[in-house]
Amino acid sequence: MNTRHALIRLVTVVGLVMGLVGASLSLSTVSAATTWQPRAEQYAGTVTERDVAIPMSDGTILRGDVMRPADASGKAIAKRLPVIVTITAYNKSILGSAGGLGGANPSYLVKRGYVQLTVDARGTGSSEGSWRAFDARENKDGGEIMTWAHSSKRPWSNGSTGMTGPSYMGIAQLWAAAAQPPGLKAIFPQVPGADVYRDVVASGGQLDVGFIPLWLGLVTGTGLIPPAVASSDPQSAVVTLLQHLDGAATFTAPLLLNALLGGEPAHDGPFYTERSVINVIDKVKVPAFFIAGEYDLFQRGTPLLFENLNKRGIPAKMIVGPWDHLQGSSGAEVGRAGYGSLAELQLRWFDRYLKGAKDSRLGSDIPNLTYYEQGTDAWRTDSKWIGSSLKGSKLSLSGASAPLGAAGGLTDGAVTSGTSAILPIPAAGLCTRSANQWTAGIANTVAPTLPCFTNNALNDASGAVFSTQPLTKAVTLQGPINAHLFTSSVSGDGMLSVTLEDEAPDGTVSRLTGGWQVISHRSLDTARSRYLDGVLIQPFHPFTKAAKKNLASGEIAPIDVEIFPTRAKILPGHRLRIAIQAFDVPHLLPTLPDLLGTVTVMRVHTSAKNPSTINFPSVGTLPTVR
């Protein structure tokens, strides 16, 4: 047990260093625009029953901690109450002491008349089995856990259930909801992913090496802590630990090696289809409140989940803030949107849908979509993800750009022909906000004062830049973006890393968002791509091994680079610009078989014959841009 306690302390310290503290803040920050106020505590304290056995249909025993309201003496309140469930892969024994790794402090809801059930996912923490990262069996567990919590056999459950939690715990909510278990009435996912491959594992076709190894290490490491149930059921603990070791040896390690060698996990296919909740989101029929981040790992995916429910008329809200993954998981800054703290929003949401509280102003107080606007620091609202106020717009790349040289043009006017070399500089991206984003926010926590995290000018010097003239009228954009770039390559392959930016009059370059695309994965599925007013704003590439094809020698072809969505207003006097490079380190790296083909010179072509453009949804009609 000494080893276990030491490991728990180590992971807890790491969690605190990573900046996860602050999620339990419940200071009221409700906007003056609403008359709603949070309820006071009903109960003086909480009491927790540890490692309750939860049997699955295949005989595997999962373990959960049940937190219940208690009186001043610490005795559990003998009353059936709604149950809030969190399913975690990060070991529930350390979840509460690692700051915001689990979102808001559950005691806030428990003291107001809820029960909290926190469950270790299969193969993690104190639960039996081998972890396989959202495989079909684990996803089935979600529905079974909720059914167990709903059952009248639980003396503390009144049958109504909801779910909370960020990241992995947010994704688990959606898998559970897709099973449509009895009693589940609402969920509250923070920063959940949708499409595992495109969102994070291999954005643009190269492997994520900034976050995925850290994440796999976190799940595996916390899974190898001796189970907390060791003192009460040593035999179960031994079996569980051996199963966790087996999972690390037969799943995690081979998965990483196979991907690096260019095997099945390096391409989209059945492995990722099974693990991507976007494929079952149509089955989710309960109200959902999403928290998303503009600099989050799931910047691309969370809005797609919200949009699906919103289109189908399922009550859905989404707040998108200026947050990386750790900040979005913490939720400590959610109150900046003006509707209340994370805990207060959860209370309001669950009181409405689990307790049936009358809340006629919920819809008017909190619009469906609330989006932080870069450039103004304002919060904007809408009823839809891609609303009627948005217009498909495009600007053309013009002329040429060279490293350390003058920028090319970005215009809606006449185009000057040009060719720009994109050199293979494997340090590109190393000190940018991208580096922070794709290490989940760790980089900013370790070195928060580095100027290159807020000014991309130095990084861009090694790439090709295309910029508007100083704007005379503001340009506002919202949603997904596409860089349509006519490209050639000496090797026939390579990766285009494209950054969308705002250049201030003083020369400061703010990264708004970015996108990536491997040339050999350029094949476009037009049926699954998104168009607005006939303009391609979100390309969809198959990323399969069969669709992969290098350019021929001398061939110039259009490469559509999906740039992840954002909301930004480029003010008069500022310039809208893009920067194009061949690497984004430490975010992405090629597989070993593709390495030599990546270290190549690419060229971006601009002309009437090769019309390279940047396509985006603008708010209203795009003003004249030169």
Side-chain angles (χ1 to χ4, degrees):
M1 292 302 292
N2 288 339
T3 300
R4 179 177 181 276
H5 290 159
L7 286 169
I8 289 176
R9 284 197 297 270
L10 175 62
V11 175
T12 299
V13 170
V14 170
L16 294 173
V17 170
M18 288 165 62
L20 300 180
V21 294
S24 61
L25 297 178
S26 58
L27 180 66
S28 179
T29 51
V30 178
S31 168
T34 175
T35 57
W36 182 89
Q37 292 295 324
R39 295 187 285 111
E41 292 181 355
Q42 297 170 256
Y43 304 103
T46 68
V47 61
T48 301
E49 182 181 3
R50 307 285 181 186
D51 291 308
V52 176
I54 306 173
M56 296 293 99
S57 58
D58 66 348
T60 299
I61 300 297
L62 307 186
R63 300 281 179 175
D65 290 349
V66 181
M67 180 188 288
R68 299 168 61 186
D71 60 23
S73 69
K75 182 180 179 181
I77 301 299
K79 186 177 182 180
R80 291 181 178 270
L81 298 166
V83 182
I84 305 300
V85 179
T86 302
I87 304 173
T88 179
Y90 306 130
N91 197 321
K92 58 182 170 46
S93 296
I94 65 171
L95 194 61
S97 56
L101 196 60
N105 191 326
S107 66
Y108 183 89
L109 291 177
V110 173
K111 290 181 180 180
R112 289 163 176 79
Y114 290 88
V115 172
Q116 170 70 37
L117 171 64
T118 305
V119 182
D120 284 325
R122 176 180 295 255
T124 72
S126 294
S127 290
E128 296 177 359
S130 294
W131 182 67
R132 293 290 187 270
F134 290 121
D135 69 349
R137 179 59 252 190
E138 182 187 338
N139 296 334
K140 186 176 181 180
D141 290 346
E144 293 185 7
I145 291 168
M146 299 312 298
T147 300
W148 183 88
H150 160 78
S151 172
S152 60
K153 295 180 181 179
R154 313 284 86 78
W156 30 262
S157 172
N158 71 359
S160 294
T161 62
M163 300 186 77
T164 61
S167 191
Y168 195 102
M169 295 158 268
I171 299 170
Q173 294 178 53
L174 294 156
W175 281 111
Q180 301 176 11
L184 180 59
K185 295 184 177 180
I187 59 178
F188 204 110
Q190 296 166 242
V191 291
D195 181 329
V196 175
Y197 188 93
R198 289 164 185 79
D199 287 357
V200 66
V201 170
S203 302
Q206 282 196 1
L207 297 178
D208 178 296
V209 294
F211 169 72
I212 293 297
L214 290 173
W215 172 67
L216 290 172
L218 175 64
V219 176
T220 302
T222 55
L224 296 181
I225 296 172
V229 74
S231 59
S232 59
D233 191 346
Q235 182 177 352
S236 173
V238 171
V239 171
T240 297
L241 185 57
L242 289 174
Q243 290 173 336
H244 293 187
L245 287 166
D246 175 73
T250 62
F251 176 74
T252 307
L255 176 68
L256 285 169
L257 182 60
N258 197 8
L260 186 62
L261 294 176
E264 180 189 1
H267 305 92
D268 197 15
F271 180 87
Y272 295 107
T273 298
E274 180 181 3
R275 290 163 170 82
S276 295
V277 76
I278 193 70
N279 297 316
V280 297
I281 192 63
D282 286 344
K283 298 180 181 179
V284 175
K285 298 182 179 180
V286 296
F289 200 127
F290 295 91
I291 302 296
E294 289 193 78
Y295 322 137
D296 180 41
L297 297 169
F298 300 119
Q299 173 189 358
R300 175 189 183 274
T302 306
L304 297 178
L305 300 169
F306 161 78
E307 181 182 40
N308 179 282
L309 271 63
N310 178 260
K311 281 185 173 180
R312 291 190 289 119
I314 307 297
K317 308 285 185 185
M318 182 170 68
I319 298 173
V320 187
W323 307 313
D324 58 35
H325 195 62
L326 294 185
Q327 292 166 332
S329 295
S330 159
E333 297 183 9
V334 165
R336 289 176 57 187
Y339 308 127
S341 69
L342 176 64
E344 290 167 345
L345 286 174
Q346 290 176 343
L347 177 68
R348 188 173 189 180
W349 194 247
F350 292 132
D351 274 3
R352 168 66 181 85
Y353 289 108
L354 270 65
K355 292 197 171 188
K358 293 181 179 180
D359 192 347
S360 60
R361 291 188 58 85
L362 177 60
S364 58
D365 283 351
I366 307 175
N368 292 343
L369 173 63
T370 302
Y371 216 140
Y372 174 83
E373 183 175 80
Q374 297 189 74
T376 64
D377 297 329
W379 295 84
R380 306 301 186 187
T381 63
D382 208 334
S383 60
K384 299 178 180 178
W385 173 233
I386 304 296
S388 59
S389 65
L390 300 179
K391 308 297 180 184
S393 303
K394 63 173 63 177
L395 294 173
S396 298
L397 280 65
S398 180
S401 172
L404 301 176
L410 203 57
T411 178
D412 63 355
V415 171
T416 300
S417 297
T419 302
S420 302
I422 312 299
L423 303 179
I425 300 175
L430 188 59
C431 192
T432 65
R433 197 168 68 195
S434 177
N436 178 66
Q437 177 171 354
W438 297 102
T439 54
I442 295 175
N444 192 52
T445 302
V446 174
T449 60
L450 285 178
C452 53
F453 283 175
T454 54
N455 188 348
N456 245 46
L458 179 61
N459 182 76
D460 293 353
S462 63
V465 174
F466 295 85
S467 173
T468 66
Q469 293 297 313
L471 299 178
T472 57
K473 293 183 179 180
V475 171
T476 305
L477 52 90
Q478 177 182 306
I481 300 156
N482 174 41
H484 181 72
L485 305 176
F486 280 81
T487 308
S488 59
S489 167
V490 173
S491 71
D493 206 359
M495 184 189 75
L496 295 169
S497 175
V498 183
T499 305
L500 186 72
E501 301 170 330
D502 177 343
E503 181 181 352
D506 66 1
T508 300
V509 178
S510 300
R511 175 189 172 93
L512 301 175
T513 183
W516 312 266
Q517 184 59 43
V518 172
I519 289 175
S520 58
H521 279 300
R522 67 191 177 280
S523 177
L524 186 68
D525 185 339
T526 56
R528 300 183 70 178
S529 297
R530 185 194 295 262
Y531 296 81
L532 182 63
D533 301 322
V535 177
L536 175 60
I537 59 170
Q538 189 168 30
F540 188 96
H541 302 282
F543 292 116
T544 60
K545 194 167 186 177
K548 190 175 181 181
K549 183 182 179 181
N550 283 11
L551 291 173
S553 178
E555 180 182 3
I556 301 173
I559 311 297
D560 289 291
V561 183
E562 180 184 4
I563 298 177
F564 288 5
T566 193
R567 166 90 188 203
K569 187 171 187 176
I570 318 303
L571 299 174
H574 289 234
R575 301 171 188 256
L576 176 63
R577 58 185 255 173
I578 64 169
I580 308 170
Q581 295 174 312
F583 282 86
D584 189 29
V585 177
H587 176 200
L588 298 170
L589 285 177
T591 62
L592 289 177
D594 290 341
L595 182 58
L596 287 179
T598 301
V599 185
T600 188
V601 176
M602 300 174 290
R603 289 181 171 82
V604 172
H605 302 263
T606 62
S607 66
K609 181 181 179 181
N610 299 308
S612 294
T613 60
I614 181 80
N615 305 344
F616 56 92
S618 64
V619 178
T621 303
L622 187 70
T624 300
V625 176
R626 293 291 186 265

